Amino acid sequence: MLEATPLGEGWILRTPGSTAAALPAEVPGCVHTDLMAAGVIPDPFLGRNETEVAWVGRRDWTYERDLSVPSGHEQTDLVFDGLDTVAEVMLDGRPLGRVRNMHRSHRFDVTGLSGRLTVRFVSAYAEAEAIRGKLGERPAAYAEPFQYVRKMACSFGWDWGPTLVTAGIWRPVRLEHWSTARIARVRPLVTVEEGLGRVELAVDVERTRVEAPLAVEATVGGVRARASLDGTQAVVRLEVPSPRLWWPRGYEEQPLHDVELTLLHGDEPLDVWRRRIGFRSVELDRSADAHGTGFTLVVNGERLFARGVNWIPDDVFPSRVTRARYRERLGQAADAGVDLVRVWGGGIYESEDFYDACDELGLLVWQDFPFACAAYPEEQPLRGEVEAEARENVVRLMPHPSLVLWNGNNENLWGFRDWDWEGRLAGESWGEGYYLGVLPRVVAELDPTRPYTAGSPWSGGWERHPNDPAHGTHHSWEVWNREDYAEYRANVPRFMAEFGWQAPPAYATLRRALPDEELAADSPGMLHHQKADDGNGKLRRGLERHFAFPEGDFDRWHYLTQVNQARAVATGIEHWRSHWPVCAGTVLWQLNDCWPVTSWAAIDGDGREKPLCHELRRLYADRLLTLQVREPGLVLAAVNQAAEVWAGAVRLRRMSVEGVVIGETSASVLAERRSVALVGVPRELEPAGPKEFLVADADGLRALHFPAPDREIPYPRPEFEVEIVPGGVRVTAGTLVRDLLLQADRLDPAARADRGLVTLLPGEQVTIGVRGWETPDPETARSALYCVEPSR
């Protein structure tokens, strides 16, 4: 039987040519984390330390340990699940092989060998610059040479990430001892047809004895099947009658089934492969219609409005992301109503722990291949590496029912057309052959059960602009970069795959990251932790369209920028959801951060939820009430993504900001399952000018419409009472209180609130649950409460 020996212990780290003593190394890990643990470098997340450790990425590094290979098996393999990135592997000075791809595993035959195991890493900069010199310059959105090496692109920095170019043994390493044969690959095709679940397991084995008769036996759902090997391959087919279907969260349950496949020599088991699968069907409807070309996910025959977020690596040092951390972060997404997570192309193929959590939580996964925001050469040595990594990872991730879409790249097809690449390339390769050739061919061959799309954004063909909102996927960045977020309402894309608005992280996160700094919007540390081009300028201009800018008041700036982020995203999602089924999904940029930074994230780099994260719970709930401006006037949209009909009464009130009801009526609302119902607002209830607003209430849901920006609204001075109640804080409003927010981390860095922004009418009250606050008192609670105030 195959036996595995982990090799996580006993490693040391050296830098070639240095007389410094070797340091203990943690495997899996990376050079930066080892240097931090040894006190050689400071934490690059704090202050402006990032610049002080830039030298680390320019050095070569060597990992070493003793290796003893026991006898008793016909073959022993040294297996690295991940090496970051360019390295030579040697045993007692004997070369075992050279590697140049972070996204692949590597296997070396070390049968009968022992001695000093050395993994010598070359700087990823040196590799990238050498490849650029060989193949020529290619344009990119950033100056760093990330497109010339098969490595996590955002290691080289991004408009939300630090430049920390890593090296190391970033995934587990082990010895595998085996005799006769081992399982080299299992490719599971899982389908459902007419109530019958089918599992086809295509098996490849590696042999030491060619003549040995072998068989494979598989079980799933109480069904067993067996097949003999034809040389090194076999196919086992199983049929499971009436399997329980796996569904996205918010629809039905997520049953998972254990699959076990055993490689046999006679009755002797040689190797075992185990996974969990789910029975479900998935399609991507890209049909043409009167509105253009659709992009609608269909799971088990049910057409979905995808409630999505974009995922980046949760740490710039990804070896630090544990199974528990994946579960926490993805659990936060699920709690916010998310049902789709897009794994963005500037990162990595995530670990099994990520996809396991998505399987269990019912989060659909849209998986990018790792290409982003650059022209990628298609010549060797990159081309062979791209195909090898695609083949390995497509098969590795196939068992997961959560995985529903393969995507060729992020923004590269768009970049070729709009970012002045075509002329600069002058006919050189730039990646099109990957996205329209290699990758769809690999997916079609290995995983025909899932759809593939060439890129995001992509309109389906070069006869249209790649980012045409009427066709396929669309990215909206003009709004954040140049316009007011009200412009989100200017069009109805078929699928909004990227859009977002920035805000700083939580106050406690900033205090930890900038411990010695007097915080200001433009203080040195704040500017260092703002990586977007003119990011603070865009934050200011976006704020000034709605509020008087709080000059010199950091706390007010911090609160208002977070309000503006939540309001901007709400404007887009409410508009696009109200246009279902023309628009079939929104994927917020972005869910998470990889360090403490001002960014578009809903959850900051320390894992704290911004107000936006709480707002997503409302925006992505099965039922959403929203007031929209349509021709000829205001309408109430009742968005019902639930399986049941939504029938009820809605109360409409036209009010003054002083709290006086000017007009009121009730109306019936009837929204069929998975549909949107529109109810016209009577003309006499439409607010007249900035002193009035409209309130709609139905079944515990509320929608508000203020016809003017806040800076023009004559709000009363907010008055409210605060009291401590078991488990939280109760606030009772004496006036209109707009966008009340309890910043729980100002009470205690460990404290968390159970809700974000809430607007109270005079006389209304809300109880905000708080956990992690050891010494509650009303005055401290009041000091952490913020709301919109009259313009000064």
Side-chain angles (χ1 to χ4, degrees), residues 31 69 74 480 502 568 678 767:
V31 170
V69 178
E74 294 175 359
W480 156 253
Q502 274 200 351
L678 300 179
T767 298

Side-chain angles (χ1 to χ4, degrees), residues 113-193:
L113 303 178
S114 293
R116 193 69 170 171
L117 177 60
T118 303
V119 184
R120 183 174 296 161
F121 288 94
V122 174
S123 164
Y125 275 115
E127 169 77 0
E129 288 159 2
I131 297 298
R132 178 170 59 189
K134 175 184 176 182
L135 301 182
E137 192 76 33
R138 300 295 196 282
Y142 304 100
E144 298 279 314
F146 61 88
Q147 71 270 46
Y148 303 100
V149 61
R150 295 309 297 155
K151 174 178 173 58
M152 183 173 89
C154 62
S155 290
F156 291 88
W158 221 259
D159 57 5
W160 37 256
T163 302
L164 294 166
V165 179
T166 51
I169 304 172
W170 78 288
R171 279 182 167 163
V173 55
R174 63 192 175 277
L175 291 175
E176 288 190 357
H177 319 279
W178 55 281
S179 299
T180 307
R182 72 172 185 90
I183 298 170
R185 186 178 80 166
V186 178
R187 187 168 59 88
L189 295 173
V190 182
T191 56
V192 181
E193 296 178 21

Side-chain angles (χ1 to χ4, degrees), residues 668-683:
S668 297
V669 61
L670 178 64
E672 300 293 337
R673 65 185 298 275
R674 323 284 193 219
S675 72
V676 178
L678 300 179
V679 178
V681 174
R683 283 284 188 184

Side-chain angles (χ1 to χ4, degrees), residues 710-748:
D710 294 68
R711 56 184 166 74
E712 297 178 9
I713 297 174
Y715 289 113
R717 180 67 54 186
E719 298 176 4
F720 52 85
E721 295 179 359
V722 180
E723 57 184 316
I724 303 299
V725 297
V729 176
R730 180 180 296 154
V731 179
T732 304
T735 62
L736 171 66
V737 178
R738 183 100 189 265
D739 283 331
L740 180 74
L741 175 67
L742 176 65
Q743 295 191 30
D745 60 291
R746 289 178 179 262
L747 306 173
D748 187 295

